[in-house]
Amino acid sequence: MEEPCGAGAAAPLRGDAEEPKQGSVLFLGGNEVKSCAVVKYSSAPPQAAFARLQEKTDLKLPPANWLRESAKLGPAGTTILGNSKKSKPFSSFGMAYDFIDSVGNDVDVVSDSENIKKLLKIPYSKSHVSMAVHRIGRTLLLDELDIQELFMRSSQTGDWTWLKEFYQRLIDQKWQRKKKSKEHWYQKAILSKFLYYSINGDGAAQPVPSTSKQHQEGPVAGESDEAGRASWPAPFEMPSSLSEDPGASNQGLKNDFVRNILWTFEDIHMLVGSNMPIFGGGRYPAVSLRLRDNNKPINVLTGIDYWLDNLICNVPELVMCFHVNGIVQKYEMIKTEDIPNLENSNFSTKVIKDIAQNILSFLKSNCTKEGHTYWLFKASGSDIVKLYDLTTLCEETEDKYQNPFTMPVAILLYKVACNMMLKKNQNKKHYGTIRTLLLNCLKLLDNGRHPQIIASANYMLSELFQLDEPKKEDSADFPINGNSDESYSEEEEEMPDSDENGSYSNSSDPPDDNKAVAIIKSVGELSVPEKYKSVHRIRPSCAFPVCHGTEERCRLVLNHVLEGLKSVDSSVKKEGDLPAADPSTPIPLKYEDESTSGGPESLEKQMALFLDKMGSFQKGKHCSQSGMIPGSWQYKMKLQLILKSSRAYYVLSDAAMVLQKYGRALRYIKLALQCHDTYCCLCGSMLPEVLGFLCQCLTLCGDIQLMLAQNANNRAAYLEEYNYQTKEDQEILHSLHRESRCQVFAWATDLSTDLEYQLSVSCKCYEAAYEILLFSNLKSQNPEQHIQVLKRMGNIRNEIGVFYMNQAAAVQTERVVSKNVSTTEQQLWKKSFSCFEEGIQNFESIDDATNAALLLCNTGRLMRICAQAHCAAEGDFKREFSPEEALYYNKAIDYYLKALRSLGKRDVHPAVWDSVNWELSTTYFTMATLQQDYAPLSRKAQEQIEKEVSEAMMKSLKYCDIDTVSERQPLCQYRAATIHHRLASMYHSCLRNQVGDEHLRKQHRVLADLHYSKAVRLFQLLKDAPCELLRVQLERVAFAEFQMASQNSSAGKLKTLSGALDIMTKTKGAFQLIRKELVAETEQISKDRSPAESVSVSDSSAGLNKEEVLKLLGIFESRMSFLLLQSIKLLTSSKKKLGGSSEEEAALRTNKQVYSLLLRATANKGLSLLERCELQLSLLEQLEGSLACSEGRAAVRAELQ
């Protein structure tokens, strides 16, 4: 006989996944069947020596190496050659634990190869089928469910009695254990001896004396019923720690297959365990050995068995050894693709493919509830296959742990979820899957028995909710309603198949089968292509829950954290030593008001104690009141849960801040800091990220205290929000109080009614955050956080500085006139100045020029308040501008100039630049005005004062921007007009009082005229300053009168008078504005008041001072009357002497007419203010026309000459 030829098999590895190989595509019987096998793990050596036995070798005699370890096969030798084909009850779980990446996602089925073969042979076999089916994601786990074994156990332990009763009632009324035949053990024994002979290095049989005949007839060692029964775990035995897994092997959860193979059969992906011996060597690198009785032909079941084994292990050839009564006869080599065509064993590979697809569809469509144990059962000789939900049946009993699959399923759900969580590239769309896995895991667990898994699962559930994600929920990579193949519902209902021929609804089943989930009425249906289609649909409920707000998301996190804390606390020993706490009793929240608050002084002491404690944390000091052992799982888990709750409360507080619910925000940040306090008490060393988070909490607490201080009007509402507490928060606090008093941060989180205290607390929070950043070296690691803390420190010091500055201004206002500056004021100045100075340093340290400029500006304002305080101390009686006022105003100017230097140029921050310029202009203007109004003549000469006033006014003009269009432009224009008016008045006054130096007088005259002109031009731009414009024009008229008084010639006087009258006519614009205001006021009064009510003439409107108007109107009338009279006199005199021209005669007539009307109007005391204004307007129009004609004729005459 020729030596059989072999094809290359996949090289197995030890302990590691093999590189994926391209699977073979086999063409069998004219039908194409796609099969790809990749060895993921192998404990066998790359090649096992294959020795052909000589003919007539007696296989009844055991070889010398029988059941011994083989150096050529390694430790797996006894497993390969001597193991029973009986599948262990938890074999799929062992594989799933080892290849957790494949479970729930990539693989459809995980099972022993024997179970796969048994399922695919259902239509051909009359044997019974009993398998447990579990669903994990899209993966089904199949395990042998030996009913006989279970019932044997039940009779000894009392377990599974409910299933035994159900089985006897519905399926087999008289159950009786079936014993295996003597022939069965005989065949197993000679197969084992044959395989051991085949690895004998000499290639010849080496029998030993037949002193142990029991081996020939009895079962092979390790295959007794007791051994099989021992593989079932006790229902309540489970390792306490998942990280310590040595107990798994004792629980039957070990993956003890020689090789694990990822087998793709058509479109079905399976993770299969196999112990099939594979031999090689020489021309046969990979073959499978089979022993057959030459007197018994190969049947279809055997052929399918051989074919599937070779496909699963990717073995291209089969070597069959024939024997007669244990005596070797011959060998025959058969290619794998030829097996379906063997005589008496002919079968269609296409049908096998259809059977596989139909069974998978049937199981996936009906095994929909994760965590449930399903039972696929076909009685011996029956054509009906039934599927039961054992978990639902078990729930009818008292204890769900009667089901021994409960714990393995729960642990696998947990491990799959853990694996998905740990993937770095995990997409958020899988979070719905992870959540469902964990929730189903928790349903199977009991808190008293498995607190660690429950705590860990709840922690992972809380981790699914990203607390730091953007506010926008519908991000592209996180579809809130999107469903994926990995998402499924644990509460899914059955959905009938739309295929009328493939329906397996049990609506027409007999009454005794009403507990079956689904039924295959005839195994023959499995051979029909696509008879059963998977109707498993993805339901929206499987998607990750949509949180409609930050609070809802955080509340879900806290709910899971609380459940985790309960599990941890229930497992900690020495609970009896702790004081009893009633979860229904609220933890009192400390409330402080100004009567009990110690103020900033006590705050300093609390702050020092806090920093000292933080230092002790850094040195590794920790203590737990509950007696938890550092390093234990309870200790580690509680730390993580507490930190998670702290983050959740922080996010809640931040969200409440956005909503301006500052009382609620303070309550949440208090809870966050209490969680952090407990964390600090437990933790031996603080991680940098934890310290960074503590800085964030303290920073937010400082923000909240600041907002509470700025919104004191709503204090009652904030207090109500602060004192409210949910039951969930109370229970979390009780868990925290088991470890700590939670008072380290009490100084930062009390709600006070004292404004100064709140501002001080806010400042101390920022300072504490800054100190932590410094001593933990986080400044360089997180520079952005360092900058933010310093910004807030600068801001709060500005706020406190402004607070003290306003207090000083209030004290100054209440002070009795002429009383000296009090010590209280001086203390407030010092506090305010110190805060401003520290704030400026904070901003300058981070190169924040804008904010530094604002604080310098506020310091300048403080200096002005100091100057005003000294001004008030002098009193108004005979007071002069004091040196103290000058000193503080000059200091204010220095700070404003520093602010401008800090900014550098307007482009840095235009608004701040303009503000500083305005304040600087105001300071110069105020100082100049005070010097002008309260001239220090006792200390300085008049000329010196005038010079200083002029310089200050011009500097004020320099920083008063009248050209840039802005909201402040009208103010700047009014200020500039006022400055020009004051300067003009000053030069006018100097001209009146000065005697002698004609050059200086001329200079003053020019300057006065210049500034009057500029003041008029600026006031004319404004539409809301008619009185000021009228006053300036009247002063110009007075200035002209003063000049006329020094003139001697009639022509000169007449010219000056003409100019003065021209100025009077230019007041028409001011009178028009006044009339407009008066008309608008009259119309408003007529609307708002009844005719019976009288209105006083002196009633003032919001935009017009009527008393001022009356006063100015009286002056205007008198000056107009005087100018007209003088003009009439001079014109009459000129006419008599020289015989006046026609222009002069016309001017004389107009002046007489206007003068006459003016005298009559002045004599009529019954005219209203509005009527008087209208009369003046009409007179000015007449006068203006006459002057215009005169000027026109004069111009013509000048041209003719």
Side-chain angles (χ1 to χ4, degrees):
M1 178 178 175
E2 293 183 3
E3 293 291 335
C5 301
L13 301 175
R14 182 180 298 275
D16 294 318
E18 186 180 86
E19 290 295 323
K21 291 190 175 182
Q22 183 64 38
S24 58
V25 179
L26 304 180
F27 298 89
L28 306 175
N31 296 320
E32 179 181 335
V33 176
K34 297 178 182 178
S35 174
C36 173
V38 177
V39 178
K40 304 290 286 185
Y41 166 81
S42 176
S43 60
Q47 290 184 346
F50 161 51
R52 292 187 60 175
L53 303 184
Q54 297 178 358
E55 290 187 20
K56 309 303 182 184
T57 300
D58 189 355
L59 298 178
K60 295 190 293 297
L61 298 177
N65 63 347
W66 192 37
L67 302 182
R68 297 178 185 174
E69 288 189 4
S70 169
K72 296 181 180 180
L73 293 180
T78 53
T79 303
I80 292 175
L81 303 181
N83 193 31
S84 166
K85 285 191 176 183
K86 178 181 177 183
S87 177
K88 290 191 176 183
F90 293 96
S91 59
S92 68
F93 289 90
M95 281 191 288
Y97 291 167
D98 286 350
F99 298 98
I100 205 75
D101 278 341
S102 301
V103 178
N105 186 20
D106 302 327
V107 172
D108 296 299
V109 177
V110 178
S111 185
D112 184 349
S113 61
E114 298 300 319
N115 295 331
I116 300 293
K117 292 189 294 182
K118 187 177 291 187
L119 284 177
L120 298 184
K121 291 188 294 185
I122 284 179
Y124 300 93
S125 173
K126 295 295 182 181
S127 301
H128 86 284
V129 175
S130 176
M131 291 188 191
V133 185
H134 297 90
R135 185 181 190 118
I136 306 293
R138 60 168 283 184
T139 303
L140 297 177
L141 276 68
L142 305 179
D143 291 281
E144 177 77 17
L145 186 59
D146 192 334
I147 295 295
Q148 295 182 1
E149 186 64 44
L150 286 177
F151 294 167
M152 285 293 292
R153 181 180 182 84
S154 174
S155 61
Q156 297 174 7
T157 64
D159 302 335
W160 294 87
T161 54
W162 58 274
L163 182 58
K164 183 176 181 180
E165 293 171 1
F166 170 72
Y167 183 84
Q168 291 176 340
R169 184 173 67 253
L170 296 181
I171 299 173
D172 193 348
Q173 297 294 331
K174 295 181 180 179
W175 172 80
Q176 180 176 341
R177 180 173 177 80
K178 298 178 181 177
K179 295 185 179 179
K180 295 184 178 179
S181 65
K182 193 173 182 180
E183 175 66 18
H184 169 79
W185 298 117
Y186 167 75
Q187 293 294 337
K188 290 184 71 66
I190 65 167
L191 173 61
S192 177
K193 294 170 188 175
F194 165 68
L195 293 173
Y196 272 93
Y197 272 120
S198 298
I199 64 166
N200 193 327
D202 297 334
Q206 296 289 335
V208 294
S210 56
T211 56
S212 50
K213 284 274 186 177
Q214 67 272 17
H215 288 300
Q216 300 175 24
E217 299 178 357
V220 178
E223 298 180 3
S224 66
D225 290 349
E226 289 74 14
R229 195 179 310 136
S231 65
W232 283 91
F236 308 126
E237 294 175 13
M238 193 59 215
S240 60
S241 173
L242 288 178
S243 59
E244 299 173 2
D245 220 7
S249 59
N250 298 329
Q251 299 292 318
L253 304 181
K254 185 179 179 182
N255 177 11
D256 54 4
F257 290 104
V258 172
R259 60 185 64 83
N260 301 121
I261 301 160
L262 188 60
W263 182 40
T264 302
F265 186 59
E266 287 295 319
D267 58 346
I268 305 171
H269 305 282
M270 292 176 270
L271 180 63
V272 181
S274 173
N275 290 324
M276 186 183 77
I278 299 177
F279 293 87
R283 296 172 58 189
Y284 313 106
V287 295
S288 59
L289 291 182
R290 300 290 181 176
L291 183 67
R292 291 296 303 171
D293 191 332
N294 206 18
N295 296 325
K296 297 179 181 179
I298 298 174
N299 58 27
V300 171
L301 294 176
T302 304
I304 294 174
D305 201 64
Y306 291 171
W307 182 70
L308 289 175
D309 267 336
N310 276 19
L311 279 189
I312 291 171
C313 296
N314 202 19
V315 176
E317 295 173 310
L318 164 69
V319 174
M320 195 174 297
C321 177
F322 293 93
H323 74 96
V324 175
N325 295 325
I327 305 301
V328 174
Q329 300 296 315
K330 63 176 181 178
Y331 281 87
E332 184 177 342
M333 191 273 288
I334 305 169
K335 291 185 177 181
T336 301
E337 58 265 32
D338 295 335
I339 295 175
N341 301 318
L342 292 177
E343 187 179 356
N344 299 321
S345 177
N346 189 278
F347 61 91
S348 169
T349 58
K350 180 71 172 176
V351 172
I352 302 297
K353 179 197 75 172
D354 293 335
I355 293 169
Q357 291 173 337
N358 282 328
I359 289 177
L360 180 64
S361 296
F362 173 78
L363 292 176
K364 279 202 168 186
S365 299
N366 295 286
C367 302
T368 57
K369 295 182 180 179
E370 205 171 41
H372 283 227
T373 298
Y374 292 90
W375 180 29
L376 185 70
F377 178 77
K378 183 180 86 72
S380 180
S382 172
D383 281 348
I384 300 174
V385 182
K386 300 179 182 180
L387 185 70
Y388 296 93
D389 185 348
L390 294 187
T391 302
T392 303
L393 297 174
C394 183
E395 286 172 353
E396 298 173 3
T397 66
E398 294 182 359
D399 192 349
K400 63 184 175 183
Y401 292 94
Q402 288 286 339
N403 180 356
F405 284 100
T406 298
M407 273 311 299
V409 171
I411 293 173
L412 184 55
L413 289 168
Y414 173 81
K415 285 193 170 187
V416 172
C418 282
N419 182 66
M420 294 181 76
M421 284 285 287
L422 291 174
K423 287 182 179 178
K424 292 182 179 179
N425 59 347
Q426 182 59 258
N427 195 304
K428 289 183 179 180
K429 70 178 182 180
H430 298 304
Y431 279 8
T433 304
I434 298 171
R435 177 175 176 270
T436 307
L437 289 166
L438 292 171
L439 290 176
N440 287 327
C441 170
L442 289 173
K443 286 180 181 178
L444 300 175
L445 298 173
D446 179 76
N447 193 33
R449 293 165 172 158
H450 316 100
Q452 182 184 5
I453 307 176
I454 291 176
S456 183
N458 275 294
Y459 174 69
M460 283 197 291
L461 282 168
S462 71
E463 279 289 292
L464 292 176
F465 297 88
Q466 298 297 307
L467 296 178
D468 55 350
E469 68 186 5
K471 296 289 188 296
K472 187 176 180 181
E473 297 284 348
D474 52 347
S475 58
D477 61 343
F478 193 6
I480 55 178
N481 288 317
N483 298 314
S484 63
D485 291 340
E486 293 78 8
S487 299
Y488 47 86
S489 171
E490 69 275 16
E491 299 173 357
E492 224 160 341
E493 299 174 359
E494 295 172 30
M495 300 173 65
D497 194 349
S498 58
D499 181 12
E500 57 182 8
N501 297 321
S503 174
Y504 33 77
S505 171
N506 57 4
S507 58
S508 60
D509 292 338
D512 60 344
D513 286 336
N514 59 2
K515 290 186 180 294
V517 174
I519 294 175
I520 298 175
K521 296 175 183 178
S522 172
V523 294
E525 296 177 352
L526 293 174
S527 302
V528 180
E530 297 185 1
K531 176 68 176 179
Y532 295 105
K533 294 180 180 178
S534 178
V535 295
H536 177 62
R537 296 289 184 266
I538 309 303
R539 295 172 62 88
S541 59
C542 67
F544 197 70
V546 179
C547 296
H548 297 288
T550 301
E551 183 158 3
E552 183 182 351
R553 184 168 68 247
C554 291
R555 279 293 162 195
L556 286 170
V557 170
L558 290 171
N559 179 59
H560 291 303
V561 166
L562 177 58
E563 292 302 316
L565 289 173
K566 285 179 179 178
S567 297
V568 172
D569 292 341
S570 66
S571 68
V572 176
K573 297 179 180 179
K574 299 182 181 180
E575 285 188 319
D577 300 337
L578 297 172
D582 182 9
S584 63
T585 304
I587 302 293
L589 290 170
K590 188 176 178 184
Y591 171 67
E592 296 255 355
D593 58 17
E594 59 269 20
S595 61
T596 59
S597 171
E601 293 77 13
S602 64
L603 192 60
E604 292 283 354
K605 296 178 182 178
Q606 295 179 51
M607 177 72 179
L609 291 172
F610 159 73
L611 291 174
D612 182 63
K613 187 163 186 177
M614 288 303 301
S616 69
F617 292 153
Q618 287 296 102
K619 294 174 184 175
K621 298 179 182 179
H622 56 86
C623 58
S624 169
Q625 297 177 3
S626 67
M628 276 197 308
I629 301 171
S632 64
W633 74 264
Q634 292 99 331
Y635 173 83
K636 295 175 182 177
M637 182 53 63
K638 192 158 190 176
L639 279 178
Q640 295 300 317
L641 289 168
I642 289 172
L643 190 59
K644 188 69 179 179
S645 62
S646 182
R647 293 186 186 277
Y649 282 127
Y650 171 85
V651 174
L652 282 170
S653 179
D654 189 48
M657 268 284 285
V658 174
L659 297 173
Q660 299 181 354
K661 302 288 186 181
Y662 302 124
R664 185 195 305 174
L666 185 61
R667 168 165 56 89
Y668 283 137
I669 201 64
K670 178 170 186 173
L671 289 165
L673 288 169
Q674 285 176 322
C675 292
H676 211 287
D677 182 10
T678 307
Y679 182 91
C680 294
C681 287
L682 292 175
C683 191
S685 60
M686 300 288 281
L687 297 173
E689 54 267 26
V690 176
L691 285 172
F693 174 64
L694 175 57
C695 290
Q696 290 179 353
C697 290
L698 287 168
T699 302
L700 180 58
C701 187
D703 294 345
I704 295 167
Q705 292 284 10
L706 174 58
M707 298 312 297
L708 285 168
Q710 291 178 347
N711 295 272
N713 295 335
N714 297 326
R715 186 170 285 136
Y718 297 148
L719 179 60
E720 184 179 353
E721 293 172 0
Y722 179 73
N723 287 328
Y724 174 78
Q725 202 172 27
T726 66
K727 184 179 179 181
E728 193 176 65
D729 295 339
Q730 295 169 19
E731 291 179 339
I732 290 175
L733 268 177
H734 279 292
S735 179
L736 298 179
H737 285 172
R738 290 169 58 89
E739 316 299 338
S740 164
R741 290 179 62 247
C742 302
Q743 292 298 315
V744 171
F745 299 98
W747 58 270
T749 55
D750 291 331
L751 179 58
S752 173
T753 58
D754 181 71
L755 184 59
E756 180 182 359
Y757 185 79
Q758 285 178 321
L759 290 172
S760 300
V761 168
S762 177
C763 185
K764 295 302 176 187
C765 286
Y766 298 140
E767 289 176 0
Y770 181 69
E771 290 294 329
I772 293 171
L773 287 173
L774 283 184
F775 69 64
S776 60
N777 296 321
L778 290 174
K779 176 180 175 181
S780 57
Q781 297 178 22
N782 196 345
E784 181 60 31
Q785 189 175 14
H786 174 251
I787 290 171
Q788 289 301 320
V789 171
L790 277 173
K791 274 190 176 182
R792 283 172 164 81
M793 285 174 65
N795 180 59
I796 190 61
R797 282 167 173 162
N798 177 56
E799 292 288 339
I800 298 173
V802 170
F803 170 77
Y804 287 134
M805 181 169 65
N806 291 339
Q807 276 196 327
V811 171
Q812 175 186 318
T813 305
E814 295 170 1
R815 192 203 321 151
V816 180
V817 179
S818 300
K819 188 176 180 182
N820 292 329
V821 177
S822 64
T823 307
T824 304
E825 281 183 87
Q826 292 177 349
Q827 290 297 324
L828 290 171
W829 294 343
K830 289 179 181 178
K831 288 181 179 180
S832 179
F833 181 76
S834 175
C835 290
F836 287 141
E837 199 170 38
E838 291 174 348
I840 291 166
Q841 291 173 0
N842 294 145
F843 287 125
E844 287 179 345
S845 66
I846 56 174
D847 299 324
D848 190 342
T850 303
N851 282 314
L854 286 172
L855 263 72
L856 285 165
C857 197
N858 279 339
T859 311
R861 183 182 161 206
L862 175 64
M863 296 298 107
R864 285 162 60 190
I865 288 175
C866 295
Q868 291 167 13
H870 287 87
C871 165
E874 294 289 332
D876 290 336
F877 181 70
K878 292 184 179 179
R879 98 170 193 84
E880 292 183 351
F881 184 69
S882 64
E884 290 80 6
E885 289 178 84
L887 173 66
Y888 283 113
Y889 277 122
N890 283 315
K891 283 186 176 181
I893 289 167
D894 289 340
Y895 283 111
Y896 289 131
L897 290 173
K898 284 182 182 177
L900 290 178
R901 286 196 295 271
S902 175
L903 289 171
K905 54 184 179 180
R906 188 176 185 272
D907 294 343
V908 174
H909 201 297
V912 176
W913 177 272
D914 293 344
S915 178
V916 175
N917 272 283
W918 172 254
E919 294 296 332
L920 185 54
S921 173
T922 302
T923 306
Y924 276 121
F925 177 73
T926 304
M927 187 167 64
T929 302
L930 289 172
Q931 278 186 296
Q932 190 175 12
D933 294 345
Y934 304 99
L937 294 172
S938 62
R939 294 182 288 109
K940 296 180 181 180
Q942 179 70 32
E943 291 78 5
Q944 180 65 24
I945 294 171
E946 290 171 359
K947 181 181 178 183
E948 291 179 0
V949 168
S950 177
E951 289 176 353
M953 287 291 189
M954 294 309 293
K955 286 180 180 178
S956 180
L957 273 175
K958 175 184 175 183
Y959 295 105
C960 187
D961 185 2
I962 61 174
D963 298 321
T964 303
V965 178
S966 65
E967 293 181 356
R968 192 179 278 120
Q969 188 184 27
L971 284 176
C972 292
Q973 290 172 342
Y974 185 86
R975 166 74 53 76
T978 305
I979 291 172
H980 285 299
H981 179 199
R982 278 188 162 270
L983 286 172
S985 298
M986 185 183 72
Y987 291 127
H988 184 181
S989 176
C990 293
L991 193 61
R992 281 178 178 276
N993 300 325
Q994 197 172 30
V995 180
D997 192 346
E998 188 60 32
H999 175 73
L1000 192 58
R1001 286 174 59 81
K1002 183 179 180 181
Q1003 186 179 1
H1004 285 168
R1005 186 183 303 112
V1006 171
L1007 288 171
D1009 188 57
L1010 174 66
H1011 287 296
Y1012 275 133
S1013 300
K1014 289 184 177 181
V1016 168
R1017 187 171 64 255
L1018 287 167
F1019 277 131
Q1020 285 174 340
L1021 293 173
L1022 301 168
K1023 302 302 181 184
D1024 56 352
C1027 292
E1028 287 82 354
L1029 177 58
L1030 187 57
R1031 184 181 296 109
V1032 173
Q1033 296 287 39
L1034 289 173
E1035 286 191 22
R1036 289 182 72 190
V1037 170
F1039 182 62
E1041 290 179 5
F1042 173 73
Q1043 288 179 304
M1044 187 179 66
S1046 62
Q1047 291 175 335
N1048 298 321
S1049 66
S1050 297
K1053 286 184 178 183
L1054 194 58
K1055 184 178 180 181
T1056 303
L1057 277 173
S1058 179
L1061 286 171
D1062 184 54
I1063 292 171
M1064 293 297 262
T1065 60
K1066 290 178 180 177
T1067 60
K1068 188 174 71 170
F1071 279 111
Q1072 287 173 339
L1073 290 172
I1074 293 171
R1075 182 182 63 178
K1076 184 178 178 182
E1077 290 278 347
L1078 292 172
V1079 169
E1081 182 182 346
T1082 305
E1083 291 176 354
Q1084 186 65 33
I1085 290 171
S1086 64
K1087 290 179 182 178
D1088 297 344
R1089 299 189 182 185
S1090 62
E1093 294 184 40
S1094 61
V1095 182
S1096 172
V1097 178
S1098 62
D1099 283 349
S1100 61
S1101 65
L1104 191 65
N1105 186 344
K1106 290 186 179 180
E1107 292 182 0
E1108 179 75 8
V1109 173
L1110 284 169
K1111 180 181 176 182
L1112 291 172
L1113 187 56
I1115 297 172
F1116 179 84
E1117 289 172 344
S1118 67
R1119 300 331 298 162
M1120 175 71 88
S1121 177
F1122 173 78
L1123 291 174
L1124 288 171
L1125 181 59
Q1126 294 300 317
S1127 176
I1128 291 168
K1129 288 180 178 179
L1130 286 172
L1131 286 172
T1132 304
S1133 174
S1134 174
K1135 182 180 178 181
K1136 289 180 179 179
K1137 290 181 180 179
L1138 304 173
S1141 63
S1142 59
E1143 294 87 352
E1144 291 177 349
E1145 289 179 1
L1148 181 59
R1149 285 195 303 271
T1150 302
N1151 289 350
K1152 284 182 178 181
Q1153 185 181 357
V1154 171
Y1155 182 65
S1156 173
L1157 292 172
L1158 181 61
L1159 288 178
R1160 292 194 194 99
T1162 307
N1164 187 358
K1165 302 297 183 181
L1167 292 176
S1168 66
L1169 183 58
L1170 178 58
E1171 291 171 337
R1172 292 175 65 184
C1173 288
E1174 289 177 342
L1175 177 63
Q1176 296 302 324
L1177 277 170
S1178 66
L1179 294 177
L1180 288 172
E1181 286 176 0
Q1182 292 181 38
L1183 194 61
E1184 185 180 26
S1186 174
L1187 290 173
C1189 291
S1190 300
E1191 289 176 359
R1193 292 189 185 110
V1196 171
R1197 190 183 304 120
E1199 288 178 3
L1200 292 173
Q1201 290 175 355

